[in-house]
Amino acid sequence: MREQLTTFNVGNDLFGIEVMKIQEVTGELTVIPVPLAPNFVRGLINLRGQIATAMGLRELFGQPAMTSAKPMSVVCKIDGNLVSLAVDAIGDVVEVERANFESAPDTVPAEIRRFIRGIYKMNGQLLSVLDLETLAKELSPTENKQ
Amino acid sequence: MSFSDQDIAEFKAEARELLDTAEKGLLSLDQGGDFKSAFDSIFRGFHNLKGAAGMMELPKLQAHTHELESLLMKLKTEGAMPAPYISLFLRGVDAARSLLEGQDIAFVYSVGEDDPASAPAPAITHVIVAEAVPAPTRVTASAPAAPASPAIPQAVNDEFVAECGEIVERVAKNLQLLEKGNASKDNVDALYRDVHSLKGSAYLFSYTKLGDLGHGMESSLERVRAGTHKPSAALFDQLYKCLALIEQIVKNIAANIQTADLDEQVPLLAARLLKAAEALESVQETPVTSTAPSTTTAAQANESGEGAASIRVPVSLLDNLMTLMGEMVLVRNQVLQYANRSDDLELLSMSKRLNVVTGEIQGEMMKTRMQPIGNVLTKFNRVVRDLSQELRKNITLNIIGAETELDKSLLEAIKDPLTHIVRNSCDHGIETPEVRREKGKRDVGTISVRSYHEGGQVVVEVSDDGKGLHKEMLLNKAVERGLITPAQAASLGEKEIYNLIFAPGFSTAAAVTNVSGRGVGMDVVRTNIERIGGTVDLTSRPGAGTTIKLKIPLTLAIVPALIVRCGLGKFAVPQVKLEELVRVDQSSADNHIEILHGTPVYRLRGNILPLVDLNRVLKGNGGDSQPDPAKYKDAIVNIAVLNAEQFSFGLIIDEIQDSADIVVKPLTRLMKSLQVYSGATILGDGSVALILDVLGISKVANLKAEKIREVTGDQKAKENIRLLADAQDFLLVKVNATARHALAMAYVNRLEEFKSSEVEYSGNQRLVRYRDSILPLISANQQLGLPDTTVDRATIPVVVIEKAGVLYGIEVDGIVDTLSTQHETRVAFKKQNGIFGNINTADELIVVMDPFEMIETAFPNMARAKFKESNASGKRVLLVEDTAFFRRNIKKVLEERGYEVVTAGDGEEALSLMGPQHPLFDIIVSDIEMPKVNGFQLAASVRSNPHLAGIPMLAVSSRADKGYLEQGARAGFNLYLEKLKPDILLEAVERLLMRNAA
């Protein structure tokens, strides 16, 4: 069984999301910050009349904010919400073999591990597949603070 | 009867569609398609066409389709359709088309006609077949045994349920009309057709019990339809009961619940129905003769276009279109901006066209979601009817403004709250006929539902002429249920008492009845209405009824809002939550933000308004950290006074930018959990603004409703005590004299401060431009004959007075303070221009000015000009008032309007002024607190004299706390006003006089 993934870089690592789950990939968008929101919420974006929540993967993974060039955005619809993920750079669309899949080793820091569905072993590189459902849960906490 | 061209065109379009459906089904069967679904669509095609043809009085078509339908029913249990039958039916479809075009046909239906399952509509007794055509192969139909419940696809089943729902609704509506005496052929036919199609579809889907009910209803209506018999009350009862049962059964079908227990009731009901139908009285007059359906009508219709008149579209599609349209508007704006800068004329003209077209699309788009509120309101006919029977009351329902449109989703949202309110009115509001008679009211209670547009909102008012709310009872109940403490109860104002019924767990019914009184209700009503951005308001007059007013935004999606800036972000505050905007100049000496125990507060018209700094809330330390007092030093501070359910607070913002209609977009739950945002929106320039959640902010800032309420409660109590002593409020001002001068607060419209440079001259008259108009200035010093002020001023303090609808500004040297005093104002010994009199307090003498007189002297013509048309001339008013100040004042106000006023110092004097045989006056305006004979006693003696009883009486008192209103009404006052501004008094007097004349 094969799977097609859109890849991108966050820090030194390569990540992937199923191609079909991605709505679009765009350059930098104007982000309106949301005061009081946790730091991985970069703010809100006007995406052609729809409002998307901008999430910073670096912030989510507890990595230092990116200092270099403009971030790219990967827009997907998770759980009915439009979410734009800020990533360092966009990679290729790759086709991977299900056979090369395994779950992330326990030594990966827990704050990153919980967002990773598993690892594809590719030639010369490891590709972490993002788990959009945990991301969705992060945006819709079941325990409402109210 | 005749049909309009449009009716015929619509019918033909529909008929063609139905035939197409049937044809499609036949063809799919021919190609070996699924029998069940194809059969259903063929059946539906014939069946519905039959009904429609009956409605349109086309007996040939009706008969034809009926025959086809009967034939078809015999094949139902076969599970297959032999080829010859398919051909027969296809020919039948063609023949039907010919009939539709007005041609006569010849057709042979070769199968017997004894299938009970599709018992024909009894009205059809003749079949028109011109000549014989070769007979199709005869097929023996299997015995029409009740089929085992076939597996009906869920989707089809859902459609059936939806259709039944629609039919039930229509039937209920038509029954109501019929019951009200609208026995027009149209109406009865529609009713008949609906129960008939209900029967048909129910049998088709093998819901035999449902079908039996439909059949029963149909049969019982037969003679009514024929016009030979009049429907009786008993028949209506049974029909309504059937309808209720049908509703329940359909509900169970929708939920996939077995309906066995309900089914058991069917035969009994059907039997009763039949009995009721048999007992009908016959009508003497000849039945309405219907014009023969002619081929000409059909031919005329042929000219109109074909195609469906409406289609169903998922709401989500409309939502998407709305979103895209919003985006299109943004692009349009950008294009327009660009085009305006460019020299390209062609581009310019195209962009103009783009502008117009986009605007039109936007307008039309908005309409797609709008529906008339009547869709919901007409349902109440049924509710009220059922309840009035159940409660043995006589209630009529008036619906006004059923055509008012609002967003469909909102319509759904207000349906339940409104139903609840109407039920409440029936149960608690309207009294039983016996009680009503005792009270001297008509036996029949009226509930009016009025809806109309007002200020970009839809208002729905439900009012009844029942007993009204009883304040004491509300209070007792609230204390009993622990909602408030007895101490609080004593201090609540009228409005607050009425609002108690919106408190959770409150129920007013003395006994819990079937209808209402279970303590869930009005609080849910309020929550639901507020959830959609609406408000609920209640007013009640004991003995006269209750009015509940819902204000609902036109659409959920678009909300008027104030756009404010705070830090770098823009935020939207919904206008419904906004009470007022206050701009505070901190450098000015008099009123500014003060720091109280570390929190900023502002004195707004004498009350302490807690302030919340949005900047601090958004930095996450809204609640407890110390504010920086320096921040508010010497700056202009903007405060938005917001309304958070029970109390108000001020929100300090950096800048007020704009007001705009915004489209609300939802936020993820994570953002909602931050409490301070309720949504987001895209502004005209394409940027995103967060919508502030006013209630959430107050919570985050630790403002608690209870706390604030207690404070206001205490204040209220104090106010009441003060009012009881008949105190008067004055505004103390400084003029160029040693004595302090004062103005009665009731005159004061606003206090302003103008820069000297703003003052302009028109001739000698000093003016300032004020709120889009011109405010003439009158110098108090001049009017009082005092020397002009010697102080050189940068700003001029001005008291704005409204007289006869026009604003005037009285220039003073300074505005000092307010004063509340119980000392009586004594009329000046020597009449001096602009002075009313003096107040003698223990340590000083205060001069009371008469601003109206000042205005009159300054503008002798203008002051009276406005009221020339008033119909007051010649009307005599008896003014009973013990306080000289008010006596003179009110008299003046009334005289100015053209009334003839006679004054009395107390009730005794008033009674002596009235002749025992003739009132001599057109209206009595009276104070309550008076020596010798007080207002209540006066009213009672006036009312007890039959010669005087008809005279309208208006109570004017500073005491309007709880119990007084009722006492006033009991004593016989028509209206009860608090000591008041002249305008309200005049309006009330006029209204009462008019009512009396009518």
Side-chain angles (χ1 to χ4, degrees):
Chain A
M1 223 185 91
R2 302 173 78 84
E3 201 176 7
Q4 279 197 324
L5 299 173
T6 298
T7 65
F8 50 85
N9 289 89
V10 177
N12 298 321
D13 296 300
L14 185 68
F15 289 86
I17 295 177
E18 293 91 316
V19 164
M20 295 312 289
K21 292 196 173 159
I22 290 181
Q23 181 172 321
E24 60 187 288
V25 174
T26 65
E28 200 190 17
L29 296 160
T30 319
V31 177
I32 311 284
V34 177
L36 299 182
N39 74 330
F40 63 83
V41 175
R42 292 163 51 90
L44 300 176
I45 292 170
N46 171 11
L47 197 73
R48 289 188 303 285
Q50 296 197 300
I51 289 181
T53 311
M55 287 175 89
L57 288 185
R58 274 174 171 266
E59 289 85 351
L60 190 63
F61 297 156
Q63 294 176 3
M66 193 171 43
T67 49
S68 67
K70 297 166 178 171
M72 295 291 285
S73 306
V74 178
V75 181
C76 19
K77 196 156 207 166
I78 311 175
D79 202 18
N81 296 315
L82 266 187
V83 175
S84 157
L85 303 172
V87 302
D88 295 3
I90 298 289
D92 298 326
V93 174
V94 297
E95 208 167 77
V96 286
E97 271 293 344
R98 193 74 193 157
N100 293 329
F101 185 77
E102 66 179 79
S103 59
D106 293 341
T107 46
V108 174
E111 67 264 30
I112 300 183
R113 196 171 184 276
R114 50 193 280 244
F115 295 112
I116 293 176
R117 216 179 67 202
I119 311 288
Y120 275 109
K121 293 161 285 183
M122 305 206 308
N123 283 342
Q125 229 177 349
L126 292 174
L127 172 69
S128 315
V129 182
L130 268 191
D131 186 346
L132 292 182
E133 272 162 28
T134 11
L135 272 183
K137 271 184 208 139
E138 205 64 17
L139 282 177
S140 307
T142 39
E143 256 181 63
N144 208 324
K145 281 175 203 163
Q146 294 179 18
Chain B
M1 76 175 287
S2 62
F3 297 96
S4 72
D5 288 354
Q6 200 196 345
D7 287 344
I8 294 164
E10 267 173 22
F11 161 69
K12 290 190 80 166
E14 193 190 58
R16 280 195 203 98
E17 256 177 38
L18 290 171
L19 288 172
D20 286 350
T21 326
E23 189 171 39
K24 225 178 272 169
L26 287 164
L27 292 174
S28 92
L29 270 187
D30 200 30
Q31 279 152 20
D34 173 50
F35 174 76
K36 178 75 189 138
S37 65
F39 181 88
D40 288 353
S41 62
I42 301 165
F43 178 83
R44 222 170 310 148
F46 288 156
H47 180 77
N48 291 349
L49 183 55
K50 176 177 86 176
M55 259 306 284
M56 297 300 291
E57 301 177 356
L58 299 171
K60 291 186 196 173
L61 185 58
Q62 190 183 23
H64 176 66
T65 40
H66 171 69
E67 294 302 325
L68 291 178
E69 188 189 340
S70 316
L71 265 177
L72 192 63
M73 279 316 288
K74 314 211 161 172
L75 295 172
K76 186 182 176 191
T77 45
E78 294 273 322
M81 191 183 284
Y85 260 83
I86 295 179
S87 316
L88 169 71
F89 283 124
L90 280 173
R91 275 203 309 279
V93 169
D94 290 342
R97 285 202 180 110
S98 306
L99 271 175
L100 206 55
E101 299 310 323
Q103 295 153 12
D104 278 332
I105 53 136
F107 209 83
V108 164
Y109 318 90
S110 65
V111 187
E113 298 171 12
D114 52 353
D115 187 345
S118 71
I124 305 163
T125 50
H126 51 284
V127 177
I128 292 152
V129 179
E131 42 173 297
V133 289
T137 325
R138 180 175 282 266
V139 176
T140 43
S142 67
S149 185
I152 301 163
Q154 190 57 41
V156 179
N157 201 29
D158 287 349
E159 204 174 293
F160 168 72
V161 169
E163 193 192 324
C164 284
E166 280 169 26
I167 290 179
V168 167
E169 224 165 83
R170 274 201 307 268
V171 169
K173 204 174 88 193
N174 286 329
L175 268 180
Q176 228 108 48
L177 284 175
L178 190 59
E179 193 180 14
K180 283 194 184 139
N182 176 3
S184 76
K185 180 131 180 60
D186 241 359
N187 186 18
V188 183
D189 279 349
L191 189 61
Y192 190 80
R193 177 163 73 105
D194 273 330
V195 289
H196 179 68
S197 25
L198 179 75
K199 177 187 83 170
S201 340
Y203 281 135
L204 173 65
F205 284 86
S206 308
Y207 296 118
T208 44
K209 290 298 171 191
L210 204 55
D212 289 349
L213 269 177
H215 180 71
M217 288 173 80
E218 186 183 353
S219 317
S220 71
L221 281 168
E222 216 162 282
R223 284 199 289 176
V224 176
R225 181 173 184 249
T228 54
H229 289 73
K230 259 199 304 214
S232 67
L235 178 66
F236 281 118
D237 272 351
Q238 296 305 327
L239 284 171
Y240 280 122
K241 277 189 189 139
C242 283
L243 209 55
L245 187 59
I246 289 173
E247 239 173 333
Q248 272 181 319
I249 294 180
V250 171
K251 219 178 260 173
N252 284 354
I253 291 173
N256 274 326
I257 299 170
Q258 283 302 317
T259 59
D261 52 329
L262 295 174
D263 285 351
E264 284 169 16
Q265 303 175 26
V266 170
L268 186 68
L269 258 181
R272 282 198 200 139
L273 192 61
L274 220 61
K275 218 168 124 194
E278 276 163 14
L280 287 189
E281 279 173 43
S282 69
V283 181
Q284 297 306 318
E285 56 205 286
T286 47
V288 191
T289 47
S290 59
T291 50
S294 60
T295 48
T296 50
T297 49
Q300 276 163 6
N302 197 18
E303 292 159 18
S304 338
E306 32 192 286
S310 63
I311 50 166
R312 287 187 188 210
V313 175
V315 174
S316 62
L317 179 61
L318 290 181
D319 287 345
N320 288 345
L321 281 173
M322 286 277 273
T323 314
L324 288 172
M325 196 201 60
E327 190 61 14
M328 186 165 155
V329 170
L330 289 183
V331 175
R332 186 241 353 230
N333 293 348
Q334 284 162 7
V335 170
L336 281 182
Q337 272 172 15
Y338 177 78
N340 283 337
R341 269 176 298 166
S342 114
D343 297 330
D344 190 338
L345 282 179
E346 204 172 337
L347 174 66
L348 205 61
S349 79
M350 282 196 294
S351 70
K352 291 258 163 66
R353 271 183 54 72
L354 177 70
N355 183 18
V356 173
V357 174
T358 314
E360 274 176 27
I361 294 179
Q362 192 176 10
E364 295 298 308
M365 262 318 294
M366 302 303 260
K367 279 193 219 154
T368 56
R369 293 173 58 91
M370 302 301 253
Q371 288 203 324
I373 197 169
N375 291 1
V376 165
L377 297 189
T378 44
K379 286 199 176 72
F380 296 151
N381 279 320
R382 173 88 184 278
V383 173
V384 170
R385 184 197 183 278
D386 289 356
L387 281 181
S388 52
Q389 294 216 326
E390 196 174 316
L391 299 166
R392 300 224 165 69
K393 294 179 183 176
N394 229 335
I395 309 174
T396 56
L397 178 69
N398 272 337
I399 295 176
I400 304 152
E403 68 287 341
T404 313
E405 288 196 323
L406 80 167
D407 195 287
K408 173 149 172 53
S409 50
L410 285 174
L411 212 53
E412 288 297 317
I414 62 166
K415 193 165 126 189
D416 287 347
L418 267 181
T419 313
H420 191 90
I421 292 172
V422 171
R423 291 175 73 94
N424 257 341
S425 285
C426 292
D427 193 17
H428 307 317
I430 306 282
E431 312 91 331
T432 54
E434 298 82 48
V435 177
R436 289 183 69 89
R437 229 169 290 146
E438 260 171 48
K439 292 257 163 78
K441 295 185 187 178
R442 282 175 48 220
D443 280 13
V444 182
T446 310
I447 296 176
S448 305
V449 183
R450 237 157 60 84
S451 74
Y452 51 92
H453 288 280
E454 189 184 84
Q457 288 185 313
V458 173
V459 180
V460 186
E461 268 179 25
V462 181
S463 48
D464 62 60
D465 62 350
K467 60 176 174 264
L469 290 177
H470 197 281
K471 273 190 275 186
E472 298 295 331
M473 232 159 80
L474 288 175
L475 282 173
N476 290 342
K477 188 78 89 189
V479 172
E480 191 183 295
R481 307 233 161 161
L483 299 171
I484 51 168
T485 64
Q488 279 174 323
S491 67
L492 288 181
E494 180 184 348
K495 191 121 206 152
E496 286 159 304
I497 296 174
Y498 289 150
N499 272 329
L500 282 174
I501 77 165
F502 293 115
F506 191 90
S507 177
T508 52
V512 173
T513 66
N514 200 4
V515 182
S516 46
R518 265 156 293 177
V520 284
M522 293 310 278
D523 63 317
V524 180
V525 167
R526 185 163 77 174
T527 328
N528 285 346
I529 295 295
E530 280 177 355
R531 188 175 298 146
I532 57 170
T535 56
V536 185
D537 197 35
L538 183 145
T539 51
S540 179
R541 285 197 298 139
T546 306
T547 300
I548 295 180
K549 194 168 177 180
L550 308 185
K551 281 191 180 173
I552 305 150
L554 266 181
T555 107
L556 255 192
I558 295 176
V559 174
L562 182 79
I563 311 295
V564 302
R565 185 183 62 80
C566 199
L568 291 172
K570 284 185 199 166
F571 300 90
V573 182
Q575 292 277 11
V576 279
K577 295 288 183 195
L578 187 67
E579 285 180 348
E580 61 184 302
L581 292 169
V582 181
R583 192 177 147 95
V584 183
D585 187 351
Q586 285 293 90
S587 58
S588 104
D590 36 69
N591 205 352
H592 55 270
I593 294 171
E594 294 159 81
I595 306 294
L596 177 72
H597 302 301
T599 51
V601 295
Y602 179 72
R603 284 190 236 177
L604 183 69
R605 288 187 286 278
N607 291 330
I608 290 182
L609 181 75
L611 295 181
V612 177
D613 191 329
L614 184 58
N615 265 313
R616 283 173 57 231
V617 169
L618 295 182
K619 281 190 193 112
N621 51 4
D624 22 47
S625 81
Q626 294 288 313
D628 175 11
K631 202 192 144 189
Y632 307 122
K633 270 250 165 69
D634 294 342
I636 305 278
V637 181
N638 288 306
I639 301 172
V641 183
L642 304 176
N643 156 15
E645 275 184 11
Q646 303 291 334
F647 62 98
S648 304
F649 68 95
L651 188 68
I652 301 177
I653 47 195
D654 289 354
E655 192 190 331
I656 293 158
Q657 290 204 319
D658 199 3
S659 64
D661 286 344
I662 56 169
V663 179
V664 180
K665 315 254 178 180
L667 284 177
T668 58
R669 214 185 301 163
L670 174 71
M671 312 270 216
K672 282 229 168 108
S673 71
L674 301 174
Q675 295 205 19
V676 292
Y677 311 118
S678 63
T681 186
I682 297 174
L683 298 176
D685 61 358
S687 65
V688 178
L690 287 154
I691 302 169
L692 295 179
D693 181 339
V694 172
L695 212 57
I697 289 177
S698 73
K699 274 186 201 145
V700 169
N702 278 335
L703 284 171
K704 288 206 184 59
E706 296 82 356
K707 222 160 73 189
I708 307 291
R709 207 145 98 198
E710 256 170 59
V711 172
T712 53
D714 280 355
Q715 275 172 358
K716 271 267 155 54
K718 274 185 214 141
E719 259 166 34
N720 279 348
I721 292 165
R722 234 174 42 200
L723 282 173
L724 286 178
D726 219 354
Q728 282 172 254
D729 284 333
F730 289 94
L731 178 75
L732 290 176
V733 297
K734 191 171 159 21
V735 294
N736 200 1
T738 39
R740 291 210 284 176
H741 282 58
L743 282 161
M745 213 44 155
Y747 286 121
V748 179
N749 185 287
R750 276 182 86 89
L751 300 177
E752 294 287 349
E753 205 156 67
F754 296 109
K755 291 203 186 75
S756 299
S757 57
E758 284 177 303
V759 177
E760 294 167 67
Y761 284 87
S762 158
N764 282 333
Q765 183 57 50
R766 287 157 67 82
L767 314 161
V768 278
R769 275 177 253 180
Y770 180 62
R771 294 204 232 153
D772 299 333
S773 78
I774 288 169
L775 184 74
L777 295 182
I778 301 164
S779 157
N781 286 335
Q782 246 172 49
Q783 289 289 328
L784 297 173
L786 297 166
D788 272 353
T789 181
T790 47
V791 201
D792 196 22
R793 299 168 302 181
T795 57
I796 306 165
V798 168
V799 183
V800 180
I801 308 280
E802 187 179 340
K803 180 163 186 286
V806 183
L807 294 180
Y808 301 87
I810 295 193
E811 282 180 65
V812 292
D813 287 8
I815 290 163
V816 183
D817 199 358
T818 57
L819 170 78
S820 182
T821 178
Q822 296 171 32
H823 291 281
E824 197 183 334
T825 313
R826 286 174 208 285
V827 181
F829 289 110
K830 190 177 143 222
K831 182 66 199 125
Q832 248 180 301
N833 183 33
I835 291 181
F836 179 80
N838 309 306
I839 305 170
N840 233 336
T841 66
D843 39 42
E844 65 173 335
L845 187 87
I846 297 168
V847 181
V848 180
M849 304 195 290
D850 186 339
F852 275 24
E853 198 171 68
M854 289 185 182
I855 294 167
E856 269 160 37
T857 332
F859 306 99
N861 300 325
M862 266 178 84
R864 282 167 214 276
K866 268 225 147 169
F867 284 133
K868 280 220 172 109
E869 297 160 28
S870 125
N871 57 355
S873 61
K875 290 276 193 299
R876 283 167 62 91
V877 181
L878 176 61
L879 173 65
V880 195
E881 167 70 65
D882 60 335
T883 320
F885 174 79
F886 282 118
R887 192 162 62 228
R888 237 194 87 178
N889 241 313
I890 297 174
K891 181 178 180 203
K892 205 156 162 189
V893 166
L894 289 169
E895 280 181 342
E896 206 158 85
R897 186 64 164 247
Y899 293 106
E900 196 180 318
V901 183
V902 175
T903 56
D906 55 57
E908 200 179 77
E909 195 184 338
L911 285 169
S912 72
L913 284 172
M914 279 182 283
Q917 302 299 317
H918 302 287
L920 300 175
F921 298 100
D922 297 294
I923 184 167
I924 299 172
V925 178
S926 172
D927 189 16
I928 296 299
E929 304 283 312
M930 289 183 296
K932 298 182 199 160
V933 175
N934 74 20
F936 294 134
Q937 293 162 331
L938 171 66
S941 28
V942 168
R943 290 292 179 240
S944 61
N945 182 337
H947 298 291
L948 305 178
I951 185 168
M953 294 190 73
L954 173 66
V956 182
S957 169
S958 52
R959 182 168 176 181
D961 64 336
K962 63 178 191 302
Y964 260 62
L965 284 173
E966 287 160 54
Q967 206 179 333
R970 258 203 313 277
F973 281 108
N974 301 74
L975 212 57
Y976 197 115
L977 296 175
E978 276 182 88
K979 286 248 161 105
L980 34 71
K981 306 228 167 175
D983 290 355
I984 305 172
L985 174 73
L986 285 174
E987 199 211 272
V989 168
E990 208 146 302
R991 207 166 62 218
L992 282 180
L993 283 173
M994 222 134 79
R995 194 157 65 187
N996 209 42

